[in-house]
Amino acid sequence: MALTLITGGTVVGPTGRSRADVLLDGEQVAALLRPGDTSLGVDLASVAQTVIDATGKYVIPGGVDPHTHMELPFGGTAASDTFETGTRAAAWGGTTTIVDFAVQRTGERVQDSLAAWFAKAEGNCAVDYGFHQILGGVDDDSLRAMDELVAEGITSFKLFMAYPGVFYSDDGQILRAMQKAATNGSLVMMHAENGIAIDVLVRQALDRGETAPSFHGTTRPWETEEEATHRAIMLARLAGAPLYVVHMSAKQAVATLARARDDGWNVFGETCPQYLYLSLEEQLGAPGFEGAKWVCSTPLRSRAEKHQDELWRYLRTGDLSVVSTDHCPFCFKEQKELGLGDFSKIPNGIGGVEHRLDLVYQGVVDGRISLERWVELCCTTPARMFGLGDRKGVLTPGADADVVVYDPAGHTSIGYPTDGNGKTHHMNMDHSAWEGFEIDGHVDVVISRGKVLVSGGEYHGHPGHGRYLRRSHSAYLR
Ligand code: URP
Ligand code: ZN
Ligand code: ZN
């Protein structure tokens, strides 16, 4: 088996940091050693096939992004990253595991939809991948299917309180799915927005001639997120099930979640970099049709109302547990443009799978979170939350050899320059939602199950390296 030795770095985990050399044996972490440790009786640097000098750098577990949508069909088009392009971009950014969403459309068998997602991903992924299952129609068949899927390693199910007529489940359907989750130990992930109320507001806005992208935000006000979050928590309580609320953007919704947690309820929240940095005023409200680049749901929130600062605070204090990307890219040309003259036809989603580690690291630089919390939010907790904690998100002997060497003295410019210098990201998009972002830090080396995917600014990965991950139950279940 090939040995890889990473020397001289500072190993950072969720509970602390220390100077250590990291020894990888084939696809697994073999040992963390005190620098210069000779107790093994061999000079590891001379026997290892690969030696990586991490002096002055952080050595962290590979990133785990538990919320991506490669090839998601949405609004008459499909997310522009395939599993091949999207996982390659993830690798460039230090994410070595994704959990994507298989989508059951109303009327389709859950098992058939899952088979279609396996077929899309198999042989194409650069990094390891698992699936959640979106339930587009809760009925007796799909409830039975939940048990079957849990046995196959799909231990989480996403439901939508938004998008009536597309993905929407009513309260009775949600309650039944949660009752099933309470019996089979799976985790319900909720898109918490009151879609029925939103549809009324959207219709009224369009009737007033309000067609620009910014009206996507004003017709999905924080009340619709907080109300749905509250309802989801109550339904979970009724069912005796845990709950994970995805892509939270409204500070009021997180406050509701935090109160339930204070009362001892098993509820968790996730946010995404776009909600930490971008806003209704600056991005969604950009002149003309430009704001379409930032149409996503839940929407970007007002900076004047300080949602972004509050979300950082909730990340720091622990009421938000995970940062995912909700990577759902659409090109501007011909995809976002489907909503020219009608914001409600703009496909919802932002691409960012490549930038999560960098963007959240900027929170360390800015003094908003600690180095350890960065690792916990981006690597350890997502792995544990979704039943991968024994293999992913940690650097302990026996864990998968997924490692990122991160250079705090490096620099990352994010964007999609149109000045002839070519693009600076690897996602299949014709623009960047993160244009002009400058990061004090850089992903230097990325290793997935012992294989170096990125180093020295070069890509060494290939489609098919990534393997399917059969997940266990969440480590956060009671
Ligand atoms: O706008 C978003 N979030 N698009 C992806 C689908 C979803 O609801 O997560
Ligand atoms: Zn959603
Ligand atoms: Zn999503």
Side-chain angles (χ1 to χ4, degrees), residues 131-331:
F131 291 118
H132 315 283
Q133 177 70 49
I134 286 176
L135 296 180
V138 176
D139 56 22
D140 290 342
D141 286 341
S142 54
L143 289 169
R144 266 192 298 276
M146 284 174 74
D147 287 336
E148 262 181 57
L149 264 59
V150 167
E152 286 181 35
I154 318 275
T155 53
S156 41
F157 297 88
K158 183 174 178 190
L159 298 172
F160 287 79
M161 301 169 101
Y163 307 129
V166 188
F167 296 130
Y168 176 81
S169 291
D170 67 27
D171 291 352
Q173 291 175 306
I174 291 169
L175 181 61
R176 291 185 75 201
M178 287 175 164
Q179 287 169 333
K180 175 60 82 178
T183 64
N184 68 20
S186 58
L187 184 58
V188 169
M189 307 170 75
M190 188 60 75
H191 180 129
E193 286 187 297
N194 185 327
I196 303 285
I198 286 168
D199 273 9
V200 170
L201 297 175
V202 168
R203 187 68 265 149
Q204 291 170 344
L206 290 172
D207 287 349
R208 287 193 297 271
E210 297 171 351
T211 60
S214 62
F215 295 107
H216 172 79
T218 53
T219 55
R220 305 178 97 88
W222 65 262
E223 289 89 339
T224 60
E225 185 181 341
E226 192 198 348
E227 186 279 329
T229 301
H230 175 73
R231 188 156 34 99
I233 292 169
M234 290 299 160
L235 291 170
R237 185 175 161 84
L238 269 179
L243 173 69
Y244 179 94
V245 184
V246 295
H247 51 51
M248 300 191 78
S249 66
K251 62 181 181 182
Q252 295 88 346
V254 188
T256 294
L257 184 91
R259 273 194 301 278
R261 288 170 60 82
D262 288 347
D263 289 342
W265 304 1
N266 219 18
V267 294
F268 305 91
E270 158 201 281
T271 192
C272 313
Q274 50 269 35
Y275 305 123
L276 297 169
Y277 287 106
L278 311 179
S279 73
L280 175 63
E281 295 93 337
E282 293 142 302
Q283 279 78 26
L284 203 47
F289 190 63
E290 198 68 10
K293 292 176 181 171
W294 295 281
V295 164
C296 61
S297 297
T298 60
L300 303 185
R301 299 289 176 197
S302 162
R303 193 174 304 281
E305 292 172 9
K306 296 196 181 314
H307 293 275
Q308 296 79 4
D309 286 342
E310 284 293 283
L311 294 184
W312 277 114
R313 186 174 68 75
Y314 284 121
L315 285 176
R316 185 165 63 250
T317 57
D319 283 311
L320 285 171
S321 304
V322 167
V323 181
S324 74
T325 57
D326 191 7
H327 176 73
C328 191
F330 296 101
C331 288

Side-chain angles (χ1 to χ4, degrees), residues 27-29 61 64 97 128 383 387-396 398-402 449 467-471:
E27 299 202 347
Q28 293 188 326
V29 177
V64 178
T97 302
D128 290 351
L388 296 168
D390 53 339
R391 295 178 57 180
K392 305 293 188 186
V394 285
L395 288 181
T396 49
D400 283 2
D402 294 357
R449 292 194 336 273
R467 289 198 199 130
Y468 172 66
L469 296 164
R470 180 182 284 270
R471 295 182 292 117

Side-chain angles (χ1 to χ4, degrees), residues 389-418:
D390 53 339
R391 295 178 57 180
K392 305 293 188 186
V394 285
L395 288 181
T396 49
D400 283 2
D402 294 357
V403 188
V404 171
V405 178
Y406 198 83
D407 183 1
H411 187 84
T412 306
S413 297
I414 308 182
Y416 190 90
T418 49

Side-chain angles (χ1 to χ4, degrees), residues 43-94:
D43 175 18
L44 285 171
S46 61
V47 295
Q49 282 71 20
T50 308
V51 178
I52 295 167
D53 181 5
T55 305
K57 301 178 184 173
Y58 300 130
V59 181
I60 66 171
V64 178
D65 188 342
H67 189 153
T68 67
H69 298 284
M70 308 305 171
E71 308 180 35
L72 175 77
F74 196 107
T77 185
S80 56
D81 264 319
T82 61
F83 279 88
E84 180 177 343
T85 62
T87 57
R88 186 167 59 221
W92 272 105

